[in-house]
């Protein structure tokens, strides 16, 4: 059984020439390819598997991260037209503050100006004292291994998402946004509204937590992690007007470097039935039985038609 992860799925937007996304046409082509080569696991069957009642079989589960408006506008109609379902992982910070999360501010800057320009601009702003050094080598060797970013884009994302200390990140992003004209979407344009999240749930999809603030869980204290988990579930259940059944979680950024044994324990204590890591392999019986809070998941770019492509480039 293969779980596959998606983020931005949208048509090209000439206003954001560098924005990296899965083109909607490629998404459709990939669904065709996955259906022909693997087939799709029924929702009831997947829930039975994660409940320990059956053995995983070959087939695909579709997951969508970040609570993006793309998912309601483009993904949901495509799934419904094909009789498919998906799991939608929503970070809840926007519903509390109305602000765009840092991870998406990074994407917006890159989408407007490109990796080379933004990497050079970042070097003019950051100082060595802003960098957290404890995990630099680990994060340099374990992050963005399955993405096809250019070197400058990867460096910009690593620096802001992993290396700059959290207490400086907002200020650095504020400076970059203030210094350069922006083609960024507003947070209201970027994310699903509460009404849209409820609509996806009401139409038979699974809603899961992607934390509150989309921070690297392994860099937080256990108490901070517990707040990210418990508050996100509470907010989502208020949004949909029901208990999440099942409760599910996926780790911001993903990969074993982004969470700890304490994170898995906290998720189990919060009643989370399963959580998704980013590890490119199939889900097997032992994963579900022995480590349900770290189920493996592929990036969509590891299959045909799944690569992000620059604006107006031909299909994969």
């Amino acid at each position: 059984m293969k779980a596959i992860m998606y983020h931005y799925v949208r048509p090209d937007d000439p206003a954001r020439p560098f924005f990296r996304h899965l083109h909607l046409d490629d998404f459709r082509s990939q669904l065709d390819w996955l259906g022909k080569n693997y087939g799709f696991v029924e929702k009831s069957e997947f829930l039975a598997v994660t409940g320990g009642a059956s053995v995983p079989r070959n087939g695909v589960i579709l997951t969508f991260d970040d609570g993006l408006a793309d998912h309601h506008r483009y993904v949901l109609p495509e799934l419904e037209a094909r009789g498919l379902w998906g799991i939608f992982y929503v970070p809840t910070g926007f519903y509390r503050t109305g602000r765009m999360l840092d991870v998406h501010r990074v994407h917006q800057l890159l989408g407007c100006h490109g990796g080379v320009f933004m990497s050079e601009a970042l070097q003019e702003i950051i100082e060595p004292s802003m960098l957290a050094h404890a995990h630099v080598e680990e994060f340099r060797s374990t992050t963005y291994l399955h993405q096809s970013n250019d070197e400058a884009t990867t460096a910009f994302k690593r620096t802001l998402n992993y290396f700059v200390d959290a207490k400086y990140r907002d200020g650095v992003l504020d400076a970059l946004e203030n210094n350069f004209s922006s083609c960024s979407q507003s947070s209201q344009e970027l994310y699903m509204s509460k009404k849209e999240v409820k609509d996806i749930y009401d139409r038979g999809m699974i809603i899961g937590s992607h934390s509150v603030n989309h921070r690297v869980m392994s860099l937080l204290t256990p108490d901070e992690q517990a707040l990210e988990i418990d508050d996100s579930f509470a907010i989502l259940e208020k949004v949909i007007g029901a208990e999440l059944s099942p409760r599910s979680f996926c780790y911001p950024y993903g990969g074993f470097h982004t969470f700890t044994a304490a994170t898995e324990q906290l998720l189990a204590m919060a009643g989370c039935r399963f959580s998704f890591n980013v590890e490119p392999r199939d889900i097997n019986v032992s994963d579900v039985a022995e480590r349900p809070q770290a189920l493996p998941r592929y990036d969509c770019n590891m299959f045909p038609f799944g690569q992000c492509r620059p604006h107006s480039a031909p299909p994969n």
Side-chain angles (χ1 to χ4, degrees):
M1 187 165 61
K2 293 174 170 58
I4 301 180
M5 168 183 65
Y6 297 86
H7 291 84
Y8 300 100
V9 179
R10 57 176 64 179
D12 282 341
D13 182 353
R16 300 173 183 86
F18 300 101
F19 199 88
R20 298 185 63 80
H21 61 283
L22 180 63
H23 195 287
L24 181 57
D25 290 343
D26 292 338
F27 177 61
R28 292 171 175 144
S29 296
Q30 184 168 82
L31 291 181
D32 290 341
W33 187 91
L34 292 170
K36 179 179 179 181
N37 287 273
Y38 300 115
F40 296 96
V41 177
E42 295 289 339
K43 178 182 174 183
S44 59
E45 182 179 2
F46 177 70
L47 292 178
V49 168
T50 57
S54 63
V55 175
R57 68 166 179 86
N58 195 30
V60 168
I61 301 115
L62 304 170
T63 71
F64 304 88
D65 290 9
D66 290 355
L68 302 169
D70 291 4
H71 300 160
H72 189 269
R73 185 175 299 126
Y74 302 117
V75 171
L76 181 62
E78 195 63 36
L79 297 187
E80 289 189 326
R82 296 166 181 262
L84 300 176
W85 65 283
I87 309 176
F88 293 80
Y89 287 106
V90 180
T92 58
F94 164 68
Y95 304 117
R96 175 178 289 168
T97 68
R99 296 192 62 198
M100 190 177 296
L101 300 174
D102 288 351
V103 62
H104 301 125
R105 295 171 72 187
V106 169
H107 296 164
Q108 295 290 320
L109 286 165
L110 288 168
C112 291
H113 303 291
V116 173
F117 183 90
M118 290 314 307
S119 289
E120 292 175 353
L122 181 62
Q123 295 308 310
E124 297 296 319
I125 293 175
I126 60 171
E127 301 175 1
S129 60
M130 297 178 177
L131 303 179
H133 299 284
H135 299 279
V136 167
E137 290 306 318
E138 177 187 1
F139 290 153
R140 183 176 290 128
S141 63
T142 56
T143 56
Y144 304 115
L145 300 181
H146 303 295
Q147 296 185 11
S148 57
N149 299 320
D150 59 82
E151 185 175 340
T153 295
T154 296
F156 185 76
K157 291 170 72 172
R158 273 196 185 131
T159 301
L160 282 168
N161 291 334
Y162 292 97
F163 299 157
V164 172
D165 192 288
K167 64 185 176 184
Y168 299 113
R169 191 175 299 121
D170 271 349
V172 171
L173 287 167
D174 287 344
L176 291 171
E177 290 168 345
N178 292 334
N179 289 348
F180 303 104
S181 60
S182 176
C183 64
S184 297
Q185 293 177 277
S186 69
S187 54
Q188 288 73 25
E189 294 172 315
L190 182 66
Y191 299 116
M192 284 189 284
S193 66
K194 292 179 181 179
K195 182 178 179 180
E196 288 169 335
V197 173
K198 187 177 189 312
D199 186 49
I200 280 185
Y201 172 80
D202 288 343
R203 288 158 76 171
M205 307 296 156
I206 293 178
I207 299 295
S209 167
H210 202 26
S211 80
V212 176
N213 297 304
H214 201 288
R215 296 176 66 186
V216 180
M217 300 291 278
S218 60
L219 297 180
L220 306 180
T221 67
D223 286 345
E224 289 171 332
Q225 293 187 52
L227 286 173
E228 289 283 331
I229 293 166
D230 295 338
D231 285 6
S232 64
F233 282 131
I235 292 168
L236 287 174
E237 291 181 341
K238 186 174 181 180
V239 167
I240 66 171
E243 291 185 4
L244 290 167
S245 182
R247 281 191 169 189
S248 175
F249 187 89
C250 79
Y251 298 104
Y253 304 103
F256 287 106
H257 59 283
T258 65
F259 61 97
T260 65
T263 321
E264 295 180 68
Q265 293 168 1
L266 288 165
L267 286 164
M269 290 170 59
C272 186
R273 185 190 294 186
F274 61 90
S275 301
F276 278 112
N277 186 15
V278 177
E279 182 190 5
R281 64 176 179 82
D282 288 9
I283 300 169
N284 58 45
V285 176
S286 62
D287 294 319
V288 176
E290 299 171 13
R291 202 172 183 186
Q293 306 303 340
L295 297 182
R297 189 168 58 147
Y298 294 94
D299 194 299
C300 65
N301 64 24
M302 304 186 76
F303 298 89
F305 306 104
Q307 286 286 345
C308 296
R309 54 183 165 105
H311 174 63
S312 297
N316 291 285

